[in-house]
Amino acid sequence: MDSAPDLPISISFITGRYLLYSADAVTYLRREHNVCGVFMGTLPHVPQQNVFLGLPLLLMPEEARILVEKGVARIVDDAKFHDHGMRMLIEADKRRYVQGLDKQGSEISQFLAEKKETQREKALKNAAQRKNAKAKTTEAGDSQKTQIGNDQDDNESLFGTDSRSVTTSSSSSTVQMSITPATTFPLLPQSAPEEYTMALPEVPSSYPIYAHLHSRGYFLSPGLRFGCQYVAYPGDSLRFHSHFLVVGAEWDQEIDLMDIVSGGRLGTGVKKGYLFGGAEPSDSAGEESKVRAFSVEWAGM
């Protein structure tokens, strides 16, 4: 079973986007809090693919806000945290970090050198065996000439050069490998200090209907491809088809009847209900607003 990450989870705020880089955090939020997000990173082994992407996970502002309100996550200004953390590192930490990278490079270089030497010894052994086998079948008068020819052929086929070049290459110094880390961990701490925590994310006016459906166990994803704001699933979107095309509205907002008709026809055409709703204004300042939602289905006459 996947291990739960330390709470609250840090959501990185970078260039106006809310991102998650931890696979443990992504699986935990999907499993426990119905938050799927959208993967936007290219997988290293398939750099040109554009169907199934990988980390980081891009969160909608609504998803980030609801996680913060539930106390599950916090928003971190990642650019400021990274810049300040790099400047505040003492010289000993930097030196230790670089030495660690050099050690990894040396280990890789040594492994490759040993592997290359093993392959060279195996090739020379095979060449000697073939040479001895050919020497037994040659005629006595041409044995010396044949021996020289076999030596040259074997060396050229195996190494593309003569035996003197092989000796020189085996005695050359090993090239030091350099390591380029994919992240700055463990150079920087995993959890940012509280001073880099940001305020609640700005959300659109449709947030009340999003929070209303999320609280009832629905999984919601962006609905741009269906011409709506959200697509609501009764469970994980990897297992279920969506049930509703969701549009949020203000309580006193005028809605064009043709928008309802077109939304209802679109939802029916893709086998979904068209759902719209909003928050009812509260009477008192401390009272929580109630949300009302309506589902429309198109039927022929």
Side-chain angles (χ1 to χ4, degrees):
M1 185 176 179
D2 296 331
S3 58
D6 295 333
L7 300 180
I9 296 171
S10 296
I11 300 176
S12 300
F13 181 76
I14 304 174
T15 63
R17 295 179 175 183
Y18 301 93
L19 304 173
L20 285 173
Y21 289 88
S22 170
D24 290 338
V26 170
T27 55
Y28 171 78
L29 294 178
R30 190 180 191 113
R31 183 179 67 247
E32 301 293 338
H33 297 282
N34 303 357
V35 172
C36 298
V38 177
F39 288 103
M40 59 175 294
T42 302
L43 298 178
H45 60 286
V46 192
Q48 300 300 327
Q49 61 90 37
N50 55 9
V51 178
F52 295 103
L53 298 174
L55 294 174
L57 183 77
L58 173 64
L59 299 177
M60 295 186 295
E62 297 92 323
E63 292 174 321
R65 177 155 184 157
I66 205 165
L67 291 174
V68 173
E69 290 179 346
K70 294 171 67 173
V72 178
R74 64 191 182 109
I75 311 299
V76 175
D77 191 332
D78 198 84
K80 291 183 178 179
F81 165 59
H82 187 276
D83 180 65
H84 179 74
M86 292 298 294
R87 286 189 285 107
M88 294 301 294
L89 283 173
I90 60 176
E91 193 63 31
D93 292 333
K94 295 180 182 179
R95 191 182 309 110
R96 185 164 52 250
Y97 183 67
V98 173
Q99 290 174 352
L101 296 180
D102 291 341
K103 182 180 179 182
Q104 295 180 33
S106 300
E107 292 174 352
I108 295 176
S109 299
Q110 183 179 359
F111 171 77
L112 294 178
E114 292 176 353
K115 182 178 180 180
K116 184 177 180 180
E117 183 64 22
T118 301
Q119 293 175 344
R120 176 180 173 277
E121 292 177 356
K122 183 177 180 180
L124 291 174
K125 182 179 179 181
N126 293 336
Q129 292 176 352
R130 287 196 299 269
K131 181 179 63 177
N132 294 333
K134 290 180 180 180
K136 293 179 181 180
T137 59
T138 56
E139 296 179 357
D142 299 329
S143 61
Q144 185 176 2
K145 183 184 298 184
T146 305
Q147 182 72 22
I148 297 174
N150 287 338
D151 290 342
Q152 293 177 348
D153 291 339
D154 290 336
N155 287 328
E156 289 177 358
S157 62
L158 289 171
F159 307 104
T161 183
D162 57 15
S163 59
R164 290 176 297 174
S165 299
V166 173
T167 306
T168 304
S169 62
S170 63
S171 61
S172 60
S173 60
T174 304
V175 179
Q176 174 67 36
M177 298 287 291
S178 60
I179 303 297
T180 302
T183 65
T184 51
F185 176 79
L187 188 60
L188 295 177
Q190 284 185 298
S191 179
E194 290 295 331
E195 60 185 288
Y196 297 102
T197 301
M198 301 178 61
L200 289 173
E202 294 289 336
V203 291
S205 58
S206 59
Y207 178 70
I209 189 67
Y210 172 89
H212 173 74
L213 294 174
H214 184 273
S215 65
R216 280 155 177 75
Y218 282 93
F219 285 66
L220 291 102
S221 64
L224 179 62
R225 60 178 175 170
F226 290 111
C228 57
Q229 290 175 303
Y230 314 107
V231 180
Y233 297 82
D236 195 316
S237 57
L238 295 176
R239 300 177 57 196
F240 296 90
H241 289 292
S242 56
H243 280 189
F244 297 109
L245 308 180
V246 183
V247 174
E250 299 285 353
W251 183 257
D252 55 354
Q253 177 182 343
E254 293 185 2
I255 302 176
D256 193 332
L257 183 60
M258 293 304 298
D259 291 339
I260 298 178
V261 172
S262 61
R265 294 187 65 178
L266 173 62
T268 303
V270 293
K271 299 181 181 180
K272 308 177 194 327
Y274 178 74
L275 186 146
F276 64 96
E280 185 177 356
S282 58
D283 298 332
S284 59
E287 185 180 354
E288 183 179 355
S289 300
K290 296 181 180 180
V291 177
R292 297 191 64 185
F294 302 89
S295 177
V296 177
E297 294 184 11
W298 184 261
M301 295 183 64

